[in-house]
Short mmCIF file of all heavy atoms in Angstrom, two decimals:
data_model
loop_
_atom_site.label_atom_id
_atom_site.label_comp_id
_atom_site.label_asym_id
_atom_site.label_seq_id
_atom_site.Cartn_x
_atom_site.Cartn_y
_atom_site.Cartn_z
N ILE A 625 3.44 6.33 11.95
CA ILE A 625 3.32 5.27 10.99
C ILE A 625 4.74 4.61 10.79
O ILE A 625 4.76 3.34 10.75
CB ILE A 625 2.85 5.71 9.51
CG1 ILE A 625 1.44 6.33 9.61
CG2 ILE A 625 2.96 4.65 8.48
CD1 ILE A 625 0.95 7.00 8.37
N CYS A 626 5.78 5.33 10.59
CA CYS A 626 7.11 4.83 10.26
C CYS A 626 7.72 3.94 11.44
O CYS A 626 8.64 3.26 11.32
CB CYS A 626 8.04 5.81 9.79
SG CYS A 626 7.68 6.49 8.26
N ASN A 627 7.19 4.34 12.67
CA ASN A 627 7.67 3.67 13.82
C ASN A 627 6.67 2.67 14.48
O ASN A 627 6.85 2.18 15.55
CB ASN A 627 7.94 4.69 15.06
CG ASN A 627 9.15 5.53 14.67
OD1 ASN A 627 10.11 5.12 14.21
ND2 ASN A 627 9.09 6.82 15.02
N SER A 628 5.67 2.36 13.61
CA SER A 628 4.60 1.38 13.98
C SER A 628 4.73 0.12 13.21
O SER A 628 5.72 -0.12 12.48
CB SER A 628 3.24 1.90 13.70
OG SER A 628 2.90 1.88 12.26
N LYS A 629 3.78 -0.82 13.39
CA LYS A 629 3.80 -2.06 12.75
C LYS A 629 2.88 -2.11 11.52
O LYS A 629 2.58 -3.09 10.93
CB LYS A 629 3.32 -3.19 13.68
CG LYS A 629 4.29 -3.50 14.89
CD LYS A 629 3.83 -4.58 15.70
CE LYS A 629 4.84 -4.82 16.83
NZ LYS A 629 4.38 -5.96 17.70
N ILE A 630 2.48 -0.91 11.08
CA ILE A 630 1.67 -0.79 9.86
C ILE A 630 2.54 -1.11 8.59
O ILE A 630 3.56 -0.72 8.49
CB ILE A 630 1.22 0.75 9.71
CG1 ILE A 630 0.16 1.05 10.74
CG2 ILE A 630 0.50 0.90 8.32
CD1 ILE A 630 -0.33 2.49 10.86
N SER A 631 1.80 -1.96 7.80
CA SER A 631 2.50 -2.47 6.62
C SER A 631 2.29 -1.57 5.48
O SER A 631 1.05 -1.27 5.16
CB SER A 631 2.06 -3.95 6.31
OG SER A 631 2.60 -4.37 5.13
N PHE A 632 3.26 -0.95 4.87
CA PHE A 632 3.07 -0.06 3.75
C PHE A 632 4.33 -0.24 2.88
O PHE A 632 5.41 -0.53 3.33
CB PHE A 632 2.89 1.29 4.20
CG PHE A 632 3.98 2.08 4.85
CD1 PHE A 632 4.86 2.76 4.14
CD2 PHE A 632 4.23 1.80 6.23
CE1 PHE A 632 5.88 3.43 4.77
CE2 PHE A 632 5.28 2.44 6.85
CZ PHE A 632 6.18 3.30 6.18
N LYS A 633 4.32 0.19 1.59
CA LYS A 633 5.37 0.17 0.65
C LYS A 633 6.01 1.44 0.70
O LYS A 633 7.30 1.37 0.56
CB LYS A 633 4.87 -0.28 -0.65
CG LYS A 633 5.91 -0.52 -1.72
CD LYS A 633 5.33 -1.09 -3.03
CE LYS A 633 6.41 -1.43 -3.97
NZ LYS A 633 5.84 -1.88 -5.31
N LYS A 634 5.36 2.53 0.72
CA LYS A 634 5.99 3.76 0.38
C LYS A 634 5.11 4.91 0.93
O LYS A 634 3.87 4.88 0.92
CB LYS A 634 6.30 4.04 -1.05
CG LYS A 634 7.04 5.25 -1.45
CD LYS A 634 7.38 5.22 -2.82
CE LYS A 634 8.45 6.36 -3.19
NZ LYS A 634 8.65 6.40 -4.68
N ILE A 635 5.78 6.01 1.35
CA ILE A 635 4.96 7.22 1.84
C ILE A 635 5.55 8.35 0.89
O ILE A 635 6.69 8.64 0.82
CB ILE A 635 5.17 7.60 3.29
CG1 ILE A 635 4.51 6.60 4.18
CG2 ILE A 635 4.60 9.04 3.56
CD1 ILE A 635 4.54 6.98 5.66
N LEU A 636 4.56 9.09 0.15
CA LEU A 636 4.87 10.14 -0.70
C LEU A 636 4.35 11.47 0.00
O LEU A 636 3.17 11.48 0.33
CB LEU A 636 4.26 9.81 -2.07
CG LEU A 636 4.84 10.53 -3.24
CD1 LEU A 636 6.42 10.15 -3.42
CD2 LEU A 636 4.21 10.12 -4.51
N VAL A 637 5.26 12.42 0.11
CA VAL A 637 4.80 13.71 0.78
C VAL A 637 4.85 14.76 -0.22
O VAL A 637 5.73 14.81 -1.17
CB VAL A 637 5.60 14.02 2.03
CG1 VAL A 637 5.44 12.84 3.11
CG2 VAL A 637 7.11 14.16 1.73
N SER A 638 4.09 15.78 -0.03
CA SER A 638 4.14 17.03 -0.87
C SER A 638 5.32 17.87 -0.55
O SER A 638 5.85 17.88 0.56
CB SER A 638 2.80 17.78 -0.80
OG SER A 638 2.65 18.19 0.53
N PRO A 639 5.72 18.61 -1.47
CA PRO A 639 6.99 19.40 -1.28
C PRO A 639 6.61 20.86 -0.78
O PRO A 639 7.46 21.72 -0.62
CB PRO A 639 7.50 19.64 -2.67
CG PRO A 639 6.42 19.59 -3.51
CD PRO A 639 5.42 18.71 -2.93
N ARG A 640 5.47 21.03 -0.32
CA ARG A 640 4.92 22.41 0.25
C ARG A 640 5.86 22.91 1.19
O ARG A 640 6.24 24.09 1.15
CB ARG A 640 3.46 22.29 0.65
CG ARG A 640 3.02 23.65 1.00
CD ARG A 640 1.40 23.46 1.24
NE ARG A 640 0.83 24.90 1.72
CZ ARG A 640 0.58 25.90 0.93
NH1 ARG A 640 0.85 25.71 -0.37
NH2 ARG A 640 0.20 27.00 1.59
N ASN A 641 5.98 22.07 2.27
CA ASN A 641 7.01 22.59 3.30
C ASN A 641 8.28 21.82 3.15
O ASN A 641 8.44 20.71 3.64
CB ASN A 641 6.33 22.19 4.82
CG ASN A 641 7.18 22.87 5.88
OD1 ASN A 641 8.38 22.91 5.81
ND2 ASN A 641 6.44 23.53 6.80
N ARG A 642 9.10 22.39 2.41
CA ARG A 642 10.33 21.74 2.06
C ARG A 642 11.26 21.18 3.14
O ARG A 642 11.75 20.12 3.24
CB ARG A 642 11.07 22.57 1.06
CG ARG A 642 12.58 22.16 0.65
CD ARG A 642 12.39 20.85 -0.31
NE ARG A 642 11.68 21.10 -1.53
CZ ARG A 642 11.54 20.23 -2.54
NH1 ARG A 642 12.20 19.05 -2.34
NH2 ARG A 642 10.79 20.51 -3.51
N ASN A 643 11.40 22.01 4.26
CA ASN A 643 12.18 21.66 5.35
C ASN A 643 11.63 20.54 6.11
O ASN A 643 12.50 19.53 6.31
CB ASN A 643 12.10 23.02 6.33
CG ASN A 643 13.06 22.71 7.52
OD1 ASN A 643 14.18 22.24 7.32
ND2 ASN A 643 12.66 23.16 8.75
N ILE A 644 10.35 20.43 6.40
CA ILE A 644 9.80 19.20 6.98
C ILE A 644 9.84 18.07 6.12
O ILE A 644 10.18 16.89 6.54
CB ILE A 644 8.33 19.49 7.56
CG1 ILE A 644 8.29 20.57 8.60
CG2 ILE A 644 7.73 18.12 7.94
CD1 ILE A 644 6.87 20.88 9.10
N ALA A 645 9.65 18.19 4.88
CA ALA A 645 9.69 17.13 3.89
C ALA A 645 10.98 16.54 3.83
O ALA A 645 11.16 15.30 3.81
CB ALA A 645 9.17 17.54 2.47
N GLN A 646 12.08 17.36 3.77
CA GLN A 646 13.39 16.84 3.72
C GLN A 646 13.77 16.09 5.04
O GLN A 646 14.59 15.04 4.89
CB GLN A 646 14.40 18.05 3.42
CG GLN A 646 14.23 18.67 1.97
CD GLN A 646 14.92 17.74 1.00
OE1 GLN A 646 15.42 16.62 1.20
NE2 GLN A 646 14.92 18.16 -0.20
#
Side-chain angles (χ1 to χ4, degrees):
I625 293 169
C626 292
N627 289 322
S628 74
K629 294 182 179 179
I630 292 174
S631 177
F632 66 96
K633 189 173 183 180
K634 190 175 186 180
I635 291 179
L636 205 56
V637 300
S638 63
R640 182 171 178 82
N641 190 319
R642 177 64 62 175
N643 185 40
I644 293 178
Q646 289 287 358

